Amino acid sequence: MHFLFSVVFIFFLVNFCLPQNQVTSAVSSLSQTEAITAAVQVDLNEVPQNRTVTCTIKVSWQGNLSRYEIDKVESPVLTNLEEIGNSSSNSVGEVAGVMQAVRTYEYTLQPIELGMAYIDGIIIEYTDTKYGETHRLVTDRLEIRVVTPIKKRTLKPFIFAASTLFFLALVVTLGFVFLKRKKTREAELEKHAQELIPIEERYLADFKEKVDLKNQNVVEMFSSLSKVFRSYLSEKYQIPALEITTKEIASKLIELAVPEKIINEVDEILNSCDVAKFSGGQVEKATLERAYTLVEDVFNKNKSSRREERNRIEPS
Amino acid sequence: MAVDIEAINKKIEKGSEFVDKISKEVAKVIVGQKYMIERLLIGLLANGHILLEGVPGLAKTMAVKTLSSTIRTKFQRLQFTPDLLPADIIGTLIYDQKNGKFTTKKGPIFSNLVLADEINRAPAKVQSALLEAMMERQVTIGENTFPLDDPFLVLATQNPIEQEGTYPLPEAQVDRFMLKLSVGYPNKEEELEIMRRMTGKKIPEVKAVVGPKDIISARNLVKEIYIDEKVEKYIIDIVFATRNPAEYGLDDLQDLISFGASPRASIFLHQAAKAHAFLRRRGYVVPEDIRAIGMDVLRHRILVTYEAEAEEITPEDVVRKVLNKIEVP
């Protein structure tokens, strides 16, 4: 009864319960209560060409554990498959109060080419110690479909993209740094060139361009004169001459120990500008001419004092 | 149209003679404090009330008293206390038993120069009564409205260090003062002179050298002083920079100012600058006048944010930054 149940169970297992895996079995006909069985199965019915499939053979029996001795398990005969490894293991356990021995043989198989692959029946030779007889179990033939290989997931594309990006970023950064350095160098050169030109010369050119003695709008000319001259004072003496008053400018120049003659001239220029700009009255052209001459005079004096200073520093 | 600056200058030269006389008389008693005396004169000439702030003992009250002594006008000193009532200042109606009628008893505010000493010691209703009279230059007692004398000038003092039992003036009311002066300590030489003068045998007496008519005619002259459009725009730029500092390149002040200066600031800056030019015997206003008076006109009209307070940035710092940033015309 027990034997019959085992056979039915294995049949049921093979046909219905494991649709993904092929499972076949072989049962000895020598014994009924302590029958030895062999089952073979593969973990995949369809295997990509670049993957492996595992074929597992399980030989088991119940009752007297020393009754059978497995003599030989022949290597599987393979079609379109290649054995790349095998292993075996033993286990003993208790099933429903009855002792059971299980021998497991595993073969790792590599498909060779696309199409069908087969594992022919595997012959298991064993000895029934009770009767001293030698018997064979033969498993069923299994078939496996070898399908298109799965593309390997590699880091190569990512590395390629990353390195490309890195390279591009490097190129952009280097380009940016290069341009910035070029700009800075140009600015420095320009600054150096500007420094070589006396500040007075620059402002004198600006002054002559903006203040026209022939212009009839004297007040407007005074405004332009004041603006240029205050800008010059700002740069020359590093004072906020555009934001402070005439009186404050004079105080700052005293603090900076500017020669008294220059201070007096600056004061006169700016005061005449203030009168012209804010008194609302008529300003004589002569006043503008006087202021104009004074501005030129301040520029010339400062230019020559600068030259003298430079000659003193660089006697060669 | 051209302005006859020469004519204005001549008028000013003549009309400002009393300024030297006043300064000379005041200098008999007050040592140093030129800044304060000059601002008091500006208030007098521009018809603007002045709030003086400073620690005790800096001759705030004495300066005002001395100034009033040089002018032949009515002077009243009001010591503000917590129990002062509005009627104590403006006056009240008194029942006359003889004729069975109410008669008006005018208060001390009916004077030319009023010294409101320690104004922040009186409660809000008293401050309100005074400040209302300051603005409207008239007082209503019962059913009758009485105009105040001309010139009418309120010079108020307050002490910044004693906050216990004081009623700080609300910002809206402080705005009514043309100038708020911050009176500082004298220097060593000045203090030595003060010490000698005040411990001497006789404290110098001050003579009245000018009458109310002189003040009124000087005020009319001040009004004649020419102010160019460029300078007017400069005033507007300064006031607007306190409202929208970012527009004037003062981004760092944007989050520090809660409320900028009111239009009253522009008006007072205009008037005070003219008075400053008058004191310099000049018939026209220059940016120097604006910069000289700007701090005193603006410092009490700017409200700084909590953030600014946390960073110990005062309205004075804000005004200084604005004045140093706006380009002179």
Side-chain angles (χ1 to χ4, degrees), chain A residues 289-304:
Chain A
E289 283 164 4
R290 162 88 181 147
Y292 191 97
T293 314
L294 282 174
V295 170
E296 281 183 322
D297 192 46
V298 170
F299 283 163
N300 289 330
K301 274 179 188 158
N302 279 342
K303 200 165 73 178
S304 55

Side-chain angles (χ1 to χ4, degrees), chain A residues 108-170:
Chain A
T108 305
L109 308 171
Q110 171 78 58
I112 295 168
E113 57 186 31
L114 295 177
M116 292 306 294
Y118 301 98
I119 304 167
D120 285 344
I122 299 163
I123 297 164
I124 301 142
E125 284 184 8
Y126 68 93
T127 303
D128 186 348
T129 55
K130 190 175 178 181
Y131 302 107
E133 294 168 347
T134 302
H135 298 284
R136 294 195 328 175
L137 287 170
V138 181
T139 61
D140 283 345
R141 187 176 190 243
L142 300 175
E143 58 180 37
I144 299 156
R145 183 183 297 277
V146 180
V147 295
T148 320
I150 294 171
K151 280 186 180 173
K152 281 184 182 176
R153 283 184 190 171
T154 62
L155 286 172
K156 270 184 186 170
F158 172 74
I159 290 168
F160 178 74
S163 52
T164 309
L165 277 174
F166 175 75
F167 180 72
L168 281 171
L170 191 71

